[in-house]
Amino acid sequence: NELLDAGGEMVVRSIAEVNGPVANLEAAMICAGAATGMSLMAAAALSRGDSERRAALPRSEGFPNELVVQRTHSIAYDQSWETTGGRLVFAGDESGCERTEFVAKIGPNTAALIYLAEKPGTLTLEDIVEIAAEHGGLPVLVDAASVLGGAEARWRLSKYLAAGADMACYKGGAGIRGPQSTGLVLGKAEFIADCRENGFPNQSVLRAAKVCKEEIFGLIAAVEGFMAEDDEALTAAQAADMQTIVDAVGTIPGIVSSVIDGLDGSGPK
């Protein structure tokens, strides 16, 4: 517990030293991957500091357990939101989601609102934050697992919280290049405290999602290194690596290859 607390403080300090103070970037939890981060955020939104609710998870009947999200933000990892007792409620359809459609899905059983970072959707994060405020300050949870590449890489560790989200989760591997089995949850101190209570090493719904001491140290070091990098230089180096691959396979009959950047935060590929 002491190592996780100290590690979280070091991560927040490393980010703030580069990006400056950001509203809602108050605490961090190092966890066992971004999927675990999604589950922890959902558990925190469901339990909200209530020990009886926390002990009941993943059985969430009897208290708010619905997580509202645009249908266009439904992905293959949706199960991670529901692992700890959350129930996804989709607004709109594959063509988009109007504000009225999203609001219509909010009710007495709503525990939180979800946003998928840097992915298409009719409603922006700012829209979701406004809607949350209009409905008693519902928590806004951001899945930012795969956005730490490209021109905004370092800023994206602060971007969503600065826009008003309560929590955001990230991969510890990929862009940060820390241990592949680690992840980060960043956000308001009260919600990160709930994540901690619902996760390892506590006897809780995510007890099994362990992160070991070596991984904690590894991710702290990776975040410090990541925040010290230059976005443009790193992106250029990644693009050069991708071009090497393109040049190697481009001569094979039937293969058409090029370096692309989908502007989704993942960088050149």
Side-chain angles (χ1 to χ4, degrees), residues 17 20 52-53 72 87 133 183 196 216 219 224:
E17 284 175 353
E52 292 187 2
R53 291 185 182 185
T72 52
R87 300 289 180 267
R196 291 275 284 102
I216 296 170
L219 186 56
E224 291 175 346

Side-chain angles (χ1 to χ4, degrees), residues 23 37 42 44 56 58 71 112 121 134-135 144 159 175 182 189 230 250 256:
R71 170 59 74 176
E134 292 166 0
H135 290 79
K159 177 180 179 178
T182 60
D230 177 83
V256 177

Side-chain angles (χ1 to χ4, degrees), residues 3-30:
L3 179 56
L4 283 170
D5 288 341
E9 292 170 4
M10 293 175 73
V11 165
V12 170
R13 185 163 60 248
S14 294
I15 297 169
E17 284 175 353
V18 176
N19 292 344
V22 167
N24 298 350
L25 178 54
E26 299 173 350
M29 179 179 178
I30 296 171

Side-chain angles (χ1 to χ4, degrees), residues 184-209:
L184 271 178
V185 183
L186 306 176
K188 288 184 177 178
E190 62 181 290
F191 287 109
I192 299 302
D194 270 337
C195 288
R196 291 275 284 102
E197 291 290 343
N198 281 290
F200 167 80
N202 301 304
Q203 184 58 49
S204 56
V205 65
L206 283 168
R207 163 76 187 184

Side-chain angles (χ1 to χ4, degrees), residues 67-70 73 81 88 102 112-116 128 141:
L67 310 171
V68 182
V69 61
Q70 299 175 75
H73 284 194
W81 294 117
L88 289 174
F102 194 94
L113 311 182
I114 290 173
Y115 186 81
L116 184 60
I128 302 299
L141 320 180

